[in-house]
Amino acid sequence: MEQPERSEDSRQAVLDAVCRRLWGHDESKIRIADICHETGLSSSVIYNYFRSRQGLIDAAYLTLHRGLPAGLV
């Protein structure tokens, strides 16, 4: 994947990558190194946005939750 240029685009690219991995999979399988590889961003950039792996996963769950129709929540 080509590296996003703006910080909000980068943050969203990270969230999108984690959301794809969370959909139907166990969160314990998510590795920051895999997200770095997929997005082209360094781990320091990811941790700058989310502070921790759990913070990133929590943000992804919130993103997924907001995107679901009300009857599925």
Side-chain angles (χ1 to χ4, degrees), residues 18 22 27-28 30 52-62:
V18 174
L22 279 176
E27 72 181 52
S28 68
I30 296 173
S52 69
R53 179 184 172 279
Q54 191 59 51
L56 171 57
I57 290 170
D58 291 347
Y61 275 129
L62 284 173

Side-chain angles (χ1 to χ4, degrees), residues 2-43:
E2 190 173 311
Q3 185 172 3
E5 293 191 22
R6 297 182 323 173
S7 65
E8 188 57 35
D9 291 343
S10 297
R11 185 180 189 283
Q12 190 61 51
V14 171
L15 275 176
D16 291 347
V18 174
C19 286
R20 280 191 297 276
R21 290 170 187 276
L22 279 176
W23 196 255
H25 296 93
D26 183 7
E27 72 181 52
S28 68
K29 306 282 186 204
I30 296 173
R31 296 178 349 139
I32 295 297
D34 295 336
I35 303 304
C36 291
H37 179 74
E38 184 174 335
T39 62
L41 299 169
S42 68
S43 61

